[in-house]
């Protein structure tokens, strides 16, 4: 039973709020029972489970069942005194479980685009993000991407860290169901996609942009969503096939990036499933 915030295990856990520490140790923390469950279902490498001692009877039977699998033989379960747990949890209403998980193989950095990198993903349903900085936005985009059948999410290197606790909370387990690639040279990736016959549409309102209502989409098309405040960079806008916009009421200046992404992905889904 841990009861001191100065305990090394607790200090390490709270340090994982910092990206540098996460990257150094190649682990991240998930707060809540649902995210523990999603990690286990996805077969993620669970290193440690911190359990609120007041919730022990609620969860211990299921924890024992899940962690009895041979792949979790090295997983540690640590009981934490209730008051301390409430202090270290980032949730307003903590569910009593915090899980430390090793970095996912599905999430990686791509420094140089080459044929091998894209070979298995060339026709995968995909979405590109340029400079999304708001954790809640990115998490919501990930959740929508999973819901609408996206398999690979490409992000510029300046997008917020996918292991940010706020991203993970908003994504609701979506990180376990997507290939996520941070790409250093996104213009090169877009060029490669277009060379493969895919169309990349920049979601932006600019001169000669086409309304989504006037487009006939293909399941291999890709949408590019820009930064919440500054939109899509000129380099990537020029690299795209065409600019496209969502027609909205004149009383509204624009849509939230995550909302816009969801609408575009819904339209893309209809292109692949016209009867649904």
């Amino acid at each position: 039973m841990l009861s001191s915030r100065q305990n090394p295990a607790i200090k390490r856990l709270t340090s994982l709020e910092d990206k540098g520490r996460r990257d150094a140790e190649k682990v991240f923390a998930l707060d809540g029972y649902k995210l523990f469950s999603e990690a286990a279902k996805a077969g993620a490498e669970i290193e440690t489970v911190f359990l609120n001692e007041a919730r022990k009877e609620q969860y211990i039977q299921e924890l024992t069942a899940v962690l009895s699998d041979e792949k979790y033989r090295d997983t540690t379960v640590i009981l934490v005194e209730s008051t301390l747990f409430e202090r270290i949890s980032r949730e307003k209403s903590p569910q009593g479980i915090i899980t430390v998980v090793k970095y996912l193989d599905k999430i990686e950095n791509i420094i140089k685009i080459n044929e091998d990198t894209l070979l298995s993903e060339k026709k995968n349903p995909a979405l590109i993000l340029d400079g999304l900085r708001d954790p809640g936005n990115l998490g919501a985009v990930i959740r929508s991407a999973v819901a609408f059948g996206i398999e690979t999410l490409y992000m510029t290197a300046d997008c917020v860290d996918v292991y940010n606790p706020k991203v993970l909370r908003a994504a609701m387990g979506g990180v376990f169901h997507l290939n996520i690639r941070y790409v250093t040279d996104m213009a090169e990736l877009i060029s490669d996609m277009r060379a493969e016959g895919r169309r990349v549409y920049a979601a932006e309102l600019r001169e000669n942009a086409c309304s989504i209502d006037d487009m006939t989409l293909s399941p291999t098309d890709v949408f590019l969503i820009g930064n919440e405040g500054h939109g899509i960079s000129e380099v990537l806008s020029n690299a795209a096939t065409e600019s496209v916009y969502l027609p909205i009421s004149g009383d509204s200046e624009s849509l939230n990036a995550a909302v816009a992404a969801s609408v575009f992905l819904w339209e893309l889904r209809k292109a692949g499933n016209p009867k649904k």
Side-chain angles (χ1 to χ4, degrees), residues 45 102-108 163 178-181:
E45 294 185 67
K102 293 185 179 179
Y103 270 17
L104 307 175
D105 292 339
K106 297 166 73 70
I107 300 173
E108 64 176 328
Y163 293 120
L178 276 178
N179 296 315
I180 298 178
R181 314 289 187 228

Side-chain angles (χ1 to χ4, degrees), residues 97-135:
I97 291 181
I98 299 175
T99 312
V100 177
V101 183
K102 293 185 179 179
Y103 270 17
L104 307 175
D105 292 339
K106 297 166 73 70
I107 300 173
E108 64 176 328
N109 296 318
I110 297 178
I111 305 299
K112 179 66 178 175
I113 304 300
N114 58 60
E115 188 170 343
D116 291 340
T117 301
L118 298 175
L119 189 60
S120 64
E121 300 178 353
K122 282 185 175 178
K123 297 300 180 183
N124 283 2
L127 176 68
I128 298 174
L129 303 180
D130 178 20
L132 259 66
R133 303 299 301 162
D134 182 87

Side-chain angles (χ1 to χ4, degrees), residues 159-178:
C159 284
V160 65
D161 178 27
V162 73
Y163 293 120
N164 180 298
K166 293 181 180 179
V167 174
L168 297 169
R169 187 181 307 122
M172 294 293 287
V175 293
F176 298 112
H177 306 289
L178 276 178

Side-chain angles (χ1 to χ4, degrees), residues 238-271:
N238 292 335
T241 307
E242 189 177 351
S243 295
V244 60
Y245 68 92
L246 295 171
I248 59 176
S249 166
D251 295 329
S252 176
E253 181 181 341
S254 64
L255 292 174
N256 171 283
V259 173
S262 297
V263 176
F264 282 120
L265 292 181
W266 167 249
E267 293 293 335
L268 190 60
R269 177 184 178 276
K270 288 196 296 182

Side-chain angles (χ1 to χ4, degrees), residues 39-225:
K41 286 192 294 185
E45 294 185 67
I46 298 175
E47 179 200 80
T48 311
V49 178
F50 291 85
L51 177 62
N52 185 337
E53 55 91 13
R55 299 288 189 93
K56 178 180 176 181
E57 296 304 318
Q58 178 180 354
Y59 293 126
I60 196 64
Q61 186 173 351
E62 185 163 355
L63 278 175
T64 301
V66 170
L67 300 179
S68 64
D69 191 291
E70 176 63 18
K71 66 186 174 186
Y72 297 124
R73 65 184 182 276
D74 296 325
T75 299
T76 301
V77 178
I78 299 176
L79 279 179
V80 181
E81 188 272 329
S82 183
T83 302
L84 176 59
F85 192 96
E86 297 283 333
R87 290 172 59 197
I88 64 175
S89 173
R90 295 178 61 91
E91 295 293 321
K92 292 182 179 178
S93 300
Q95 296 177 354
I97 291 181
I98 299 175
T99 312
V100 177
V101 183
K102 293 185 179 179
Y103 270 17
L104 307 175
D105 292 339
K106 297 166 73 70
I107 300 173
E108 64 176 328
N109 296 318
I110 297 178
I111 305 299
K112 179 66 178 175
I113 304 300
N114 58 60
E115 188 170 343
D116 291 340
T117 301
L118 298 175
L119 189 60
S120 64
E121 300 178 353
K122 282 185 175 178
K123 297 300 180 183
N124 283 2
L127 176 68
I128 298 174
L129 303 180
D130 178 20
L132 259 66
R133 303 299 301 162
D134 182 87
N137 260 347
L138 178 56
V141 168
I142 290 172
R143 188 175 180 182
S144 292
V146 173
F148 294 128
I150 294 300
E151 295 181 28
T152 305
L153 180 64
Y154 296 103
M155 302 194 294
T156 55
D158 58 342
C159 284
V160 65
D161 178 27
V162 73
Y163 293 120
N164 180 298
K166 293 181 180 179
V167 174
L168 297 169
R169 187 181 307 122
M172 294 293 287
V175 293
F176 298 112
H177 306 289
L178 276 178
N179 296 315
I180 298 178
R181 314 289 187 228
Y182 281 92
V183 181
T184 300
D185 192 342
M186 191 64 79
E188 184 181 3
L189 173 64
I190 293 173
S191 177
D192 276 20
M193 284 182 165
R194 294 186 62 184
E196 289 294 321
R198 303 188 76 169
R199 297 179 297 187
V200 178
Y201 292 114
E204 58 184 350
L205 183 59
R206 64 182 298 181
E207 188 177 358
N208 299 322
C210 182
S211 168
I212 191 72
D213 288 341
D214 299 326
M215 299 179 65
T216 301
L217 296 174
S218 163
T220 62
D221 291 339
V222 181
F223 285 105
L224 164 62
I225 307 296

